[in-house]
Amino acid sequence: MTARPNSLAARDGAYHFHGYTNALKNEQEGGFVVMRGDGPFVYTEEGKEYFDGLSGLWCCSLGFGPQPRLVEAAKKQMETLPFYHTFTQKVAAPVVELAEKLVQLAPVPMSKAYFCNSGSEANDTAVKMIWYLNNALGRPQKKKIIARVKAYHGVTVAAASLTGLPALHNDFDLPIAGILRTDCPHYYRFGEEDESEEAFAARCADNLERLILAEGPETVAAFFAEPVQGAGGVIIPAKTYWEKITAVLKKYDVLLVADEVICGFGRTGNWWGTQTFGMRPDIITMAKQLSAGQLPIAAILINQRVFEALRDNSNKHGGFAHGLTYSGHPVASAVALETIRIYEDLRIVDHVRSIAPHFEREMNAFIDHPLVGEVRKVGLVGAIELVKNKKTHESFDPKLAVGPTLVKFAHERGLIVRPVIDSLCFCPPMISTEAQLTDMFGRFSRALKDTHDWLKREGHA
Ligand SMILES: Cc1ncc(COP(=O)(O)O)c(C=O)c1O
């Protein structure tokens, strides 16, 4: 692909340095410019239609078309008070309402909401809160934080350190000190032969306990976990994993931070992924679907115990010396509040539950395909993992780039889908209809056939 001279695509190549993009390729080929959206579809400069199977970046729960209620909420707030901040006790009205709403919606008793602009910032802030809290509680050595293999918690310094994907560490001089790594609860990939799913979950919990004991429980502060590990490849925890992990965390007084950045607001068929999997978090981070991806906003919920420690220590110092210019931005908060009202009016959780069986049926139709190793899904998020050998679960040589090649074929077929190595991830807008999901998987099915034909031609299938 080479962009037309002077097109937006060419100018993008000339002037824009993207994140998560091969910079040389973008400079040479130009960007993929999206002009408008409608439901789950987006359209290019040339008018070509794509089904975005990942809701952008797991965020556009209401799709890509204009949402008049959100437009009105933003407009009204911009006309009334376009900016105010949250330092030194100041606050704008929608921020108060949003904080109250989030505390009321929380899956476990929570005390306060804190606002940021992105999931990464929320997780970095949560790390700082935990360090501050343990100093406040007079246990300054209790600072280490555990995260899992294949976790994704964002890209800022602490969040990227928690992320368990090597690409986010290579040449960035990360992770920082004090981050510990434990098992990914993916039974299909990491379960041993003849090991039951529950025995695998027990092994994960035993390994966690061993890690905490080896480090010294007095040094371990918190465990960060996504209910479903999205960017790791939509990894759904093994059965009984959370009851076993929770027991270990409680035993050693290790706080649980649930990263609900993808799962929050209905994605797994409950308001929170935490509820779907029986997690008992002390802190919850959220972003993305909080505003249907339409404005940048993230939040952290903290329970009473965490709040009291932060409150008393901030009193000692004269203030909690952490905050962002745009923490609790009034326009983003007004849009988030209206997004939640839309979810309530649409009964979005019920809608996800009603459409999830269709999503599941469509995905299960691929189980017997010669390239498909595992089909995993919960609510309206899932992945199809391609393997070289269905029986042994052996993966393709990463050099073959099977997943990325499928993505190229899918692109030609008008489908945007995300590969995590050879797992293809699906996270369609929550407002999708059954017919739209059938359309999405139809496009995927044609791309899968193209991939299979290509592998056969190359002698790999
Ligand atoms: C689970 C999870 N946490 C955190 C983040 C980081 O959020 P952001 O990209 O808004 O910084 C992401 C982003 O995909 C995520 O999936």
Side-chain angles (χ1 to χ4, degrees):
M1 179 183 96
T2 311
R4 277 183 294 112
N6 261 332
S7 61
L8 281 168
R11 285 156 60 203
D12 183 73
Y15 299 113
H16 183 194
F17 180 36
H18 293 234
Y20 281 118
T21 293
N22 180 325
L24 179 63
K25 203 162 172 286
N26 197 63
E27 193 177 42
Q28 290 170 343
E29 298 176 359
F32 175 74
V33 183
V34 177
M35 299 300 282
R36 64 180 188 89
D38 183 13
F41 302 102
V42 293
Y43 299 86
T44 61
E45 246 178 316
E46 287 75 30
K48 184 166 176 193
E49 175 194 272
Y50 292 84
F51 193 115
D52 191 320
L54 205 81
S55 300
L57 292 172
W58 326 82
C59 54
C60 290
S61 45
L62 301 175
F64 299 90
Q67 293 291 327
R69 285 175 61 176
L70 299 186
V71 173
E72 189 49 38
K75 181 168 174 280
K76 196 167 144 216
Q77 190 57 43
M78 290 187 89
E79 286 170 349
T80 321
L81 181 70
F83 176 79
Y84 221 76
H85 59 86
T86 54
F87 293 13
T88 57
Q89 291 178 250
K90 315 279 188 306
V91 69
V95 185
V96 180
E97 287 191 58
L98 181 60
E100 183 180 44
K101 186 79 196 170
L102 291 176
V103 169
Q104 286 166 352
L105 273 179
V108 290
M110 285 288 172
S111 175
K112 303 283 183 286
Y114 187 97
F115 294 103
C116 303
N117 308 288
S118 67
S120 301
E121 277 178 9
N123 286 325
D124 258 55
T125 298
V127 168
K128 286 183 71 183
M129 284 179 174
I130 290 160
W131 290 340
Y132 189 87
L133 168 140
N134 278 328
N135 287 328
L137 296 178
R139 40 191 208 188
Q141 63 298 34
K142 200 165 172 74
K143 295 286 168 53
K144 293 177 193 163
I145 300 190
I146 304 176
R148 299 178 294 180
V149 170
K150 297 196 185 192
Y152 191 88
H153 297 294
V155 296
T156 45
V157 171
S161 298
L162 294 172
T163 293
L165 303 171
L168 274 83
H169 300 161
N170 297 340
D171 284 347
F172 285 110
D173 292 1
L174 294 173
I176 54 171
I179 306 294
L180 308 175
R181 193 70 56 201
T182 196
D183 298 305
C184 169
H186 189 189
Y187 177 58
Y188 175 81
R189 246 318 123 222
F190 301 112
E192 283 169 3
E193 232 182 302
D194 299 329
E195 187 179 40
S196 71
E197 199 166 337
E198 295 205 4
F200 168 67
R203 180 157 63 84
C204 292
D206 285 349
N207 286 345
L208 176 66
E209 181 160 21
R210 240 179 258 132
L211 176 69
I212 294 171
L213 288 172
E215 294 287 331
E218 70 288 355
T219 71
V220 180
F223 183 79
F224 272 65
E226 303 152 80
V228 173
Q229 291 183 247
V234 188
I235 294 159
I236 296 159
K239 275 186 219 127
T240 72
Y241 173 81
W242 274 108
E243 64 188 60
K244 295 181 165 78
I245 293 291
T246 304
V248 176
L249 300 178
K250 288 266 166 292
K251 188 166 168 191
Y252 299 105
D253 191 17
V254 174
L255 294 175
L256 174 61
V257 182
D259 180 339
E260 290 265 13
V261 168
I262 286 181
C263 295
F265 305 97
R267 179 53 66 184
T268 64
N270 287 296
W271 271 100
W272 306 95
T274 299
Q275 295 162 315
T276 303
F277 299 104
M279 298 164 72
R280 301 282 307 166
D282 302 280
I283 298 177
I284 298 175
T285 57
M286 69 199 75
K288 297 192 190 269
Q289 297 196 145
L290 167 57
S291 62
Q294 302 216 359
L295 280 182
I297 182 165
I300 306 169
L301 286 174
I302 54 176
N303 68 14
Q304 186 63 17
R305 178 177 164 226
V306 171
F307 172 66
E308 279 175 11
L310 300 179
R311 178 193 65 194
D312 296 348
N313 208 45
S314 78
N315 185 43
K316 187 176 103 190
H317 290 297
F320 182 61
H322 178 87
L324 305 145
T325 300
Y326 302 128
S327 289
H329 192 287
V331 182
S333 300
V335 167
L337 198 57
E338 193 62 16
T339 300
I340 295 172
R341 290 183 183 134
I342 293 176
Y343 292 155
E344 287 174 337
D345 292 348
L346 291 177
R347 305 177 67 91
I348 200 76
V349 172
D350 291 344
H351 174 70
V352 169
R353 284 187 189 177
S354 72
I355 204 167
H358 186 74
F359 182 69
E360 183 168 351
R361 263 193 309 278
E362 288 283 343
M363 288 194 77
N364 282 346
F366 295 99
I367 273 175
D368 293 327
H369 190 281
L371 294 182
V372 173
E374 190 187 34
V375 171
R376 38 186 189 265
K377 67 261 151 193
V378 58
L380 218 49
V381 59
I384 294 179
E385 181 162 346
L386 308 184
V387 290
K388 186 171 173 193
N389 187 322
K390 275 174 96 83
K391 220 167 142 197
T392 63
H393 305 184
E394 187 194 348
S395 301
F396 284 104
D397 181 346
K399 285 199 209 93
L400 270 178
V402 174
T405 304
L406 186 145
V407 167
K408 265 191 251 160
F409 288 128
H411 199 84
E412 287 163 16
R413 301 282 188 180
L415 172 67
I416 295 173
V417 61
R418 158 85 77 97
V420 176
I421 313 178
D422 293 337
S423 289
L424 289 311
C425 304
F426 298 92
C427 182
M430 293 197 297
I431 43 122
S432 299
T433 61
E434 290 195 0
Q436 287 167 339
L437 294 182
T438 300
D439 176 8
M440 175 177 82
F441 285 113
R443 294 173 197 228
F444 175 74
S445 170
R446 294 186 278 282
L448 183 62
K449 181 175 184 315
D450 295 339
T451 308
H452 197 199
D453 291 346
W454 162 73
L455 281 167
K456 283 194 272 193
R457 277 197 308 277
E458 300 289 317
H460 296 294

